[in-house]
Amino acid sequence: MKDVRQTLLDRVSIRRYEREAIPQETMDFIYDAVRNTPTSYNGQQYSVIDIDDQEIKEKLYELTGQKQLKTCNRLLIFCSDYNKMTLLAEKKGVTMPPFTDTMDGTIIGIIDASLAMMSAVVAAESCGLGCNCVGYLRTVDPKAVAELLKLPKGVFVVCGLALGIPREHPDLKPKQQRDLVFMKNCYSQDPEKMTEELVEYDRVVTDYNHHRAGSTSDNDWCAHIINYYDHAMEYQILRYLKDQGYDIKK
């Protein structure tokens, strides 16, 4: 098992996997790590769908075009989940407030599911597995994904996590330098200095994309990410959330 430093600092996204199955002992460890995730109020407003059915993985691949979804050994799908609390409240005769109709309620479920996914990533990486977070499962066709996964009201997909024995070892991607990430006591960066550092980071990413192992590209960081933002403007997530019982009003 890798130590904590190696697990966190050497992590890369893996999209190609061996056919070898993940040992059940390893999956049990990942399950327990996820279950011990810190959550808001200890409300545990999330659930995880563990997919090992190849047919389901193939259908998700057809929707997304993401090959790692069909080649991974296990696909964990992390969801915001208020269905469980609603069922228990009904059983106990406790009034369930329309918390899913608030922005805070929606955010809390997303945060809990995201923290749980990071617990899974760290646990899996420490065991030598490869991982790939697939946010496109949330946005590609939310209604079709919800129907395929039989999601009840109060539940929606936040992100998927492909797991498997790595078949590749990509180069470590450059991340923003510390000064762009960490600030003391308040948002203290001088805008001009920050812009200069961002320009330098953009140059570093461009150089990485030109020279990385495997497929290369001419992508910079700024225009590439903004292109994603432009594309994401077309997503109808609010409509989907309403279908799943999240009618956000405040």
Side-chain angles (χ1 to χ4, degrees):
M1 181 173 285
K2 299 178 185 177
D3 62 28
V4 174
R5 183 182 180 87
Q6 184 183 15
T7 297
L8 292 174
L9 299 187
D10 292 348
R11 187 210 63 79
V12 294
S13 293
I14 302 295
R15 293 175 173 82
R16 298 176 67 235
Y17 306 96
E18 303 290 353
R19 294 184 180 275
E20 182 181 350
I22 299 173
Q24 187 57 47
E25 180 182 9
T26 301
M27 290 305 304
D28 289 342
F29 170 56
I30 294 171
Y31 278 13
D32 288 340
V34 168
R35 290 176 54 246
N36 197 40
T37 296
T39 61
S40 299
Y41 323 122
N42 192 37
Q44 303 163 71
Q45 288 90 190
Y46 73 94
S47 56
V48 187
I49 299 173
D50 178 6
I51 299 175
D52 62 2
D53 186 314
Q54 189 61 32
E55 183 178 351
I56 297 176
K57 289 191 290 179
E58 293 277 354
K59 288 180 179 177
L60 291 171
Y61 163 69
E62 289 171 8
L63 285 170
T64 63
Q66 302 285 311
K67 289 184 178 180
Q68 62 269 37
L69 298 182
K70 68 174 180 178
T71 61
C72 66
N73 181 251
R74 304 287 274 270
L75 176 62
L76 304 184
I77 299 188
F78 291 80
C79 302
S80 171
D81 188 347
Y82 286 96
N83 177 60
K84 290 183 285 186
M85 187 58 72
T86 300
L87 291 174
L88 180 58
E90 289 176 355
K91 180 69 175 179
K92 298 190 69 175
V94 177
T95 300
M96 179 73 175
F99 195 39
T100 53
D101 291 353
T102 69
M103 196 65 207
D104 190 45
T106 305
I107 289 173
I108 282 172
I110 292 170
I111 291 173
D112 284 1
S114 299
L115 289 171
M117 185 176 69
M118 196 61 208
S119 294
V121 168
V122 174
E125 290 275 350
S126 73
C127 294
L129 297 181
C131 303
N132 182 236
C133 302
V134 187
Y136 198 31
L137 281 170
R138 180 186 70 255
T139 58
V140 60
D141 189 338
K143 185 176 181 180
V145 172
E147 290 176 353
L148 179 62
L149 300 181
K150 301 179 181 178
L151 302 184
K153 297 289 186 182
V155 180
F156 70 86
V157 171
V158 173
C159 198
L161 181 66
L163 297 175
I165 309 299
R167 196 176 182 179
E168 62 178 358
H169 298 282
D171 294 337
L172 189 66
K173 290 182 179 179
K175 302 296 184 180
Q176 294 177 20
Q177 53 264 45
R178 288 185 182 181
D179 285 351
L180 284 172
V181 178
F182 297 96
M183 304 177 198
K184 287 288 187 180
N185 300 318
C186 64
Y187 203 95
S188 55
Q189 273 280 30
D190 173 71
E192 186 174 342
K193 182 175 182 292
M194 176 179 278
T195 302
E196 291 175 357
E197 292 180 346
L198 286 167
V199 168
E200 173 58 21
Y201 176 67
D202 189 76
R203 185 199 63 77
V204 169
V205 172
T206 302
D207 185 67
Y208 164 82
N209 287 331
H210 281 163
H211 299 99
R212 66 187 180 186
S215 61
T216 60
S217 78
D218 294 326
N219 290 338
D220 64 356
W221 182 63
C222 180
H224 183 65
I225 298 301
I226 288 177
N227 181 64
Y228 165 74
Y229 295 162
D230 283 335
H231 180 64
M233 295 288 287
E234 301 171 7
Y235 299 151
Q236 300 294 321
I237 300 302
L238 197 60
R239 182 186 303 168
Y240 162 64
L241 289 178
K242 189 171 183 178
D243 290 342
Q244 289 303 114
Y246 290 71
D247 190 8
I248 302 168
K249 295 183 177 69
K250 57 183 178 178

